[in-house]
Amino acid sequence: RSGSSAQGGTGGSISVSGTSGDGGIAGMGCDGLTATSTRLIPTVLILVDNSSSMFEPLSNGTTAWKMLYGALMDPDPTKGVVKSLEDKIRFGFASYKGLSGANEADPACAIMTPATPTFMFGNYDAINQVYTELGMDDGQGKSWETPTGHAIGVVTPPLVAYASDPPGPKYILLVTDGNPNTCKTTNPQCGQDASIKAAQDAYAQGVKTVIVGIGDIVEQPNNGCNADQGRCDKDHLQDMANAGMGLP
C-alpha cells in the first residue's frame, strides 16, 4: 500500500505508508508499515462571565469568581488548569459583563476584557494579570448582567482568524454562573436562544464550545429566568453543550 492516510482526533494525525508483499499463498508476505504521528495543538479561549453575581457569597462562604480562579489559575501546576497545560495548549482569555439598553450587534452591549484576546503558549502570566485585576473590580455599584450570546459573537471571529502553526482544533471554554440575558432586556433573563444561536454559529465556523456552570445557575433553580418561557439553569447548560458540539 502506498500513500494512504488516516486522521486522528485532537491527539494528532497519522500518516501510513508501506509496500505490499506477495499476497498469494506461495509468498505468504507481510505488508511493511511506517507510521508518523503529528500532534494537533488545541487553541482554547477561556470566556468567563464576570457579572455581579460572580462576586456574591455562595452557600459555601466563597464566591464563584474565587472558586473559578483556583481551578483555572492556581500557580501550582498540579492544581491550576492553565499553569499545568500552558506548554501544551494555546490559551487565550476574555471576560464579559453588560448593562441594559443596547442591541445585540452594538459593542456597548458588553464590556469585554481584553477587547481582543491573544493566543499563545506560556500565556499563564498574562492571563493571571488580567484575571487578578478583574477580581479587584467592585463593579462600581452597578448590577452587571450576562449577555452570553453577544460575548460568544465577539470572541468567535478572532479565534476563527487565528492561524495556528501547526493547525489544531479550536474551542471556547465558557464559564458562567447565570442564565443569559439579551442586550436589550436584562430581566427576565431570556437570552437562551441568542446564546444557543451564537454557539451554533461558532461551531459552523470550526469552533466548538464547552460550557461550565458554576454558582447560582447550579444552586438556585430558575434564578431570574421564567421557566414557562424557556429552558433555564441546568437544562440551558445542556442545550449550550449540545449546540457547542454541533448536536440538536
Side-chain angles (χ1 to χ4, degrees), residues 99-229:
L99 294 173
S100 61
N103 294 315
E104 290 301 312
D106 188 341
C109 170
I111 293 178
M112 306 290 299
T113 307
T116 302
T118 300
F119 308 101
M120 59 185 293
F121 287 125
N123 213 9
Y124 172 84
D125 288 340
I127 293 174
N128 187 55
Q129 180 178 346
V130 175
Y131 205 127
T132 301
E133 291 174 355
L134 287 167
M136 297 170 62
D137 186 356
D138 62 4
Q140 299 175 342
K142 297 178 180 179
S143 179
W144 294 100
E145 300 292 342
T146 313
T148 301
H150 174 87
I152 294 175
V154 170
V155 300
T156 296
L159 187 51
V160 171
Y162 175 64
S164 60
D165 183 20
K170 298 178 179 180
Y171 299 91
I172 295 171
L173 174 60
L174 169 64
V175 187
T176 181
D177 78 324
N179 293 293
N181 58 270
T182 63
C183 296
K184 202 162 189 178
T185 304
T186 57
N187 287 297
Q189 291 168 313
C190 53
Q192 290 87 345
D193 288 348
S195 299
I196 292 168
K197 177 63 162 56
Q200 290 173 330
D201 289 346
Y203 181 84
Q205 298 174 77
V207 176
K208 296 180 179 179
T209 300
V210 178
I211 186 165
V212 177
I214 187 172
D216 287 350
I217 198 169
V218 178
E219 288 192 342
Q220 300 183 26
N222 301 337
N223 184 33
C225 175
N226 189 339
D228 292 333
Q229 297 179 350

